[in-house]
């Protein structure tokens, strides 16, 4: 019986300890609300800032405008009066560490930093640039236990005057294909700093290659999409050619059609292999599955590229292959118009108007006819 009582007492003591270690979901310290912002650079790289957001007005209602920088937030690296008492930067927010997470390796203000989550601190200066400190320690309370030895990176950025911001806010104020500018805004100051991905195209290539070895690689459209990406970005074109060929002829899932063949032709064109590109494009235009609309659209593409003669050949071929089919006369009208032969273009535009399948196309052709009657291009 004594052993049972002793065991019960031990369990109760352990349970009491566990319960005392738990915390309630009480309001944030100082009513400094938690916030988070995430921005993608391209579709692969993400940057996330998690922080607690103080306001200029103190919890007791005191207006602290004009007392933030250099007072509430001390200048430089200072003894904060608690913790390890090392000269420390500002916590760049309130309460727990402000953290910044990079999903991939990036550059901050031109300096490299690896993927990961870092404690973000700032050394504010009365004049001149401020220092951003990225610490390998990201789970501390404030900067009270800051240690320089745990720095992953320090960079400098210049503050700017800005519109009044009551609540400390992190905002991405500029977004480009390979970079984004993140800014801290509070009171009437902002600190913008640039985050860039210098190898983003390489990252896309390696991601495509990895994804195409999985289930995504059993769909020809994904190989074509990868090839089209290489065309649009004029990058990794030899890989793009291999991807285009897979879309056409890979066992089990390859699909030879106008889209896959024209993609291959476009890669060859950018590789300056014009004869091969023409041969593949001719095959695309004459492929049994190619539609009148695909050929028509290709002719319009050639007009957009300034190749009126090439477009005219395509529109005539389309008319021969699909006679009396919409939009044959539209194409011929566009082709002759591009060559400056407005009377012949007008004849075909009127025929196209009569055969137009809906009011939207009739309205567009009516406008084209009016232009051609004035001796102007449609």
């Amino acid at each position: 019986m004594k052993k049972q009582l002793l065991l019960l007492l031990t369990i109760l003591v352990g349970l009491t300890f566990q319960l005392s270690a738990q915390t309630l979901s009480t309001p944030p310290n100082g009513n400094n609300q938690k916030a988070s912002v995430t921005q993608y650079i391209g579709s692969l790289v993400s940057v996330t800032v998690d922080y607690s957001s103080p306001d200029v007005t103190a919890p007791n209602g005191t207006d602290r405008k004009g007392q933030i920088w250099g007072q509430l937030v001390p200048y430089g690296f200072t003894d904060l009066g608690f913790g390890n008492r090392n000269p420390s930067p500002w916590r760049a927010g309130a309460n727990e560490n402000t953290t910044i997470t990079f999903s991939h390796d990036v550059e901050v203000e031109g300096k490299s930093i690896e993927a990961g989550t870092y404690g973000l601190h700032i050394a504010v200066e009365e004049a001149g640039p401020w220092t951003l400190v990225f610490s390998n320690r990201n789970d501390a309370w404030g900067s009270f236990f800051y240690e320089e030895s745990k720095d992953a990176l320090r960079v400098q950025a210049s503050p700017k005057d800005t519109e009044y911001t009551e609540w400390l806010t992190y905002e991405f104020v500029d977004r480009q294909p390979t970079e984004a500018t993140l800014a801290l805004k509070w009171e009437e100051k902002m600190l913008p700093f640039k985050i860039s991905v210098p190898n983003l195209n390489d990252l896309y290539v390696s991601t495509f290659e990895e994804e195409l070895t999985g289930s995504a690689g059993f769909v020809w459209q994904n190989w074509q999409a990868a090839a089209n990406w290489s065309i649009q970005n004029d990058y990794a074109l030899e890989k793009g050619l291999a991807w285009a060929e897979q879309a056409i002829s890979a066992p089990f899932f390859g699909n030879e059609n106008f889209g896959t063949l024209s993609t291959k032709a476009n890669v060859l064109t950018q590789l300056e292999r014009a004869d091969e590109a023409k041969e593949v494009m001719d095959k695309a235009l004459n492929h049994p599955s190619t539609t009148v609309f695909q050929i028509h659209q290709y002719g319009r593409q050639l007009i957009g590229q300034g190749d009126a003669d090439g477009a005219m050949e395509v529109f005539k071929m389309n008319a021969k292959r699909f006679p009396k089919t919409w939009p044959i006369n539209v194409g011929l009208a566009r082709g002759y118009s591009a060559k400056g032969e407005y009377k012949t273009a007008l004849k075909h535009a009127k025929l196209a108007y009569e055969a137009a399948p809906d009011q939207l196309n009739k309205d567009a052709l009516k406008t084209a006819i009016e232009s051609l009657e004035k001796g102007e291009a449609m």
Side-chain angles (χ1 to χ4, degrees):
M1 185 67 178
K2 290 183 178 179
K3 289 183 178 180
Q4 290 176 332
L5 288 173
L6 181 60
L7 177 60
L8 179 59
L9 181 60
T10 302
I11 292 172
L12 289 173
V13 169
L15 180 60
T16 301
F17 175 78
Q18 290 179 14
L19 290 173
S20 66
Q22 295 177 357
T23 58
L24 295 176
S25 298
T26 55
N29 185 276
N31 199 31
N32 298 312
Q33 307 287 356
K34 289 183 177 294
S36 182
V37 60
T38 296
Q39 176 63 46
Y40 276 80
I41 301 174
S43 62
L44 300 176
V45 180
S46 65
V47 180
T48 299
V49 182
D50 292 296
Y51 61 104
S52 293
S53 176
D55 59 334
V56 174
T57 304
N60 64 4
T62 300
D63 182 2
R64 298 182 291 189
K65 187 175 180 180
Q67 303 170 33
I68 300 296
W69 308 112
Q71 296 183 49
L72 181 62
V73 177
Y75 289 132
F77 291 80
T78 60
D79 179 351
L80 300 175
F82 180 74
N84 58 24
R85 308 295 295 273
N86 290 333
S88 302
W90 173 48
R91 72 186 83 180
N95 301 344
E96 302 96 332
N97 275 175
T98 296
T99 64
I100 186 166
T101 301
F102 306 113
S103 65
H104 295 73
D105 297 351
V106 299
E107 289 184 356
V108 179
E109 289 295 309
K111 293 186 177 181
S112 299
I113 188 167
E114 294 181 352
T117 299
Y118 300 90
L120 178 61
H121 307 270
I122 299 175
V124 175
E125 301 296 342
E126 186 172 6
W130 295 1
T131 301
L132 290 150
V133 180
F134 300 84
S135 173
N136 284 310
R137 182 167 189 188
N138 59 39
D139 59 353
W141 183 276
S143 302
F144 299 115
F145 298 93
Y146 169 77
E147 294 180 33
E148 183 178 349
S149 63
K150 296 188 183 297
D151 286 1
L153 177 69
R154 286 190 184 189
V155 298
Q156 291 190 321
S158 297
K160 298 180 179 180
D161 294 333
T162 189
E163 71 281 358
Y164 179 79
T165 305
E166 172 70 16
W167 298 93
L168 184 150
T169 302
Y170 284 89
E171 177 184 345
F172 287 89
V173 295
D174 187 37
R175 306 166 194 180
Q176 302 298 328
T178 61
E179 64 186 35
T181 299
L182 173 62
L184 161 70
K185 292 184 175 182
W186 198 23
E187 203 217 26
E188 293 178 329
K189 292 287 184 184
M190 68 179 290
L191 181 68
F193 56 97
K194 187 179 296 184
I195 301 165
S196 57
V197 188
N199 63 337
L200 188 56
N201 279 344
D202 289 335
L203 188 57
Y204 278 118
V205 170
S206 62
T207 300
F208 293 161
E209 290 182 323
E210 181 178 348
E211 291 174 342
L212 289 169
T213 63
S215 60
F218 290 90
V219 180
W220 62 264
Q221 290 92 336
N222 288 331
W223 293 91
Q224 184 186 10
N228 280 327
W229 175 89
S230 74
I231 295 166
Q232 293 159 7
N233 292 275
D234 195 21
Y235 197 80
L237 290 171
E238 290 293 347
K239 287 184 182 292
L241 182 58
W243 293 333
E245 188 55 51
Q246 284 288 96
I248 294 168
S249 58
F252 305 113
F253 63 83
N255 191 321
E256 183 181 281
N257 57 49
F258 179 85
T260 55
L261 288 167
S262 60
T263 294
K264 181 179 178 180
N266 288 334
V267 179
L268 288 166
T269 297
Q270 285 194 233
L271 286 169
E272 299 182 352
R273 293 158 62 173
D275 291 342
E276 294 174 75
K278 185 179 186 309
E279 181 181 348
V280 175
M281 196 65 223
D282 286 345
K283 186 176 183 179
L285 291 168
N286 290 283
H287 196 274
S289 66
T290 298
T291 69
V292 62
F293 296 101
Q294 288 173 321
I295 298 173
H296 176 79
Q297 196 59 41
Y298 179 62
R300 292 195 62 177
Q301 179 183 326
L302 291 177
I303 290 177
Q305 294 171 355
D307 185 3
D309 290 336
M312 194 71 250
E313 289 182 18
V314 168
F315 290 133
K316 286 181 177 179
M317 185 205 80
N318 210 14
K320 184 177 180 180
R321 183 171 173 183
F322 299 99
K324 299 181 180 179
T325 304
W326 172 265
I328 290 304
N329 282 299
V330 180
L332 291 170
R334 289 189 179 280
Y336 284 115
S337 174
K339 290 175 65 66
E341 299 179 30
Y342 300 132
K343 288 185 178 180
T344 308
L346 178 60
K347 180 185 72 173
H348 288 286
K350 288 180 177 180
L351 290 171
Y353 179 86
E354 294 300 324
D358 53 52
Q359 192 60 46
L360 183 65
N361 278 291
K362 282 186 178 293
D363 290 344
L365 284 164
K366 182 180 179 182
T367 301
I369 289 169
E370 292 171 353
S371 296
L372 291 169
E373 287 175 336
K374 296 175 185 177
E376 299 173 353
M378 62 181 291

